[in-house]
Amino acid sequence: MALDETTEELARVAAQGDHRALGELLKRIEPDVLRHCGRILPYRQDAEEACQDTLLAVARNIGRFEGRARFTTWLHIVTANCARTTYRSLKRRSAEQSSDELPLQKPDVARVSVIAGSRLDLLDAMEALEADKPDLAQALVLRDICQLDYNEVAEQLGIPLGTAKSRIHQARKYVQSALGDAYGF
């Protein structure tokens, strides 16, 4: 999300309690948030749900934005977390629905989503990484999903650059291992 200085200023003012600035901020970031959610959840309705959750989270938590880092960095994290939470919710709902009905042939959920018609394997691998090694997951989300550069990842996590690069590398190896041989890793 490459938002401009006006957006950064609106975020600072909104964080101080200005409701008009918050409304303007939410309107301004919505297209970028939706686009970013679409990278994680390619099915449009799922991305829209995650976008709405993100905007609600921003509205509820803008007072926590301290302005030490750029607003866009904070927004990346909120967006990625909301999209992943939406995915988990959709996955849970799908499991509940499919337990009530018996399909003729059950699709391979590692390759095709019964939720959104998209692959779930990468999100499942990320979920396993987060459960097993949350510090690695955080670095990977910031770098590969939020598309921050290595310096920004290190700054956001408050760790040295070399440590950030190492965590990202270890996280990628973990995810590749979780995806298995079927993907040529």
Side-chain angles (χ1 to χ4, degrees), residues 149-169:
D149 66 36
Y150 289 104
N151 289 323
E152 290 173 313
V153 171
E155 180 183 324
Q156 186 64 34
L157 296 176
I159 58 177
L161 177 61
T163 303
K165 287 181 178 182
S166 174
R167 286 183 184 179
I168 292 163
H169 177 73

Side-chain angles (χ1 to χ4, degrees), residues 63-105:
R64 293 182 186 163
F65 173 64
E66 298 170 352
R68 288 181 294 169
R70 293 182 57 81
F71 171 72
T72 52
T73 302
W74 184 78
L75 182 59
H76 279 299
I77 295 165
V78 172
T79 303
N81 287 341
C82 286
R84 290 166 56 213
T85 299
T86 298
Y87 162 71
R88 284 186 209 107
S89 172
L90 291 168
K91 184 178 174 182
R92 187 182 65 252
R93 280 189 256 162
S94 175
E96 290 168 359
Q97 289 173 351
S98 55
S99 67
D100 295 339
E101 47 193 61
L102 296 172
L104 296 176
Q105 183 178 8

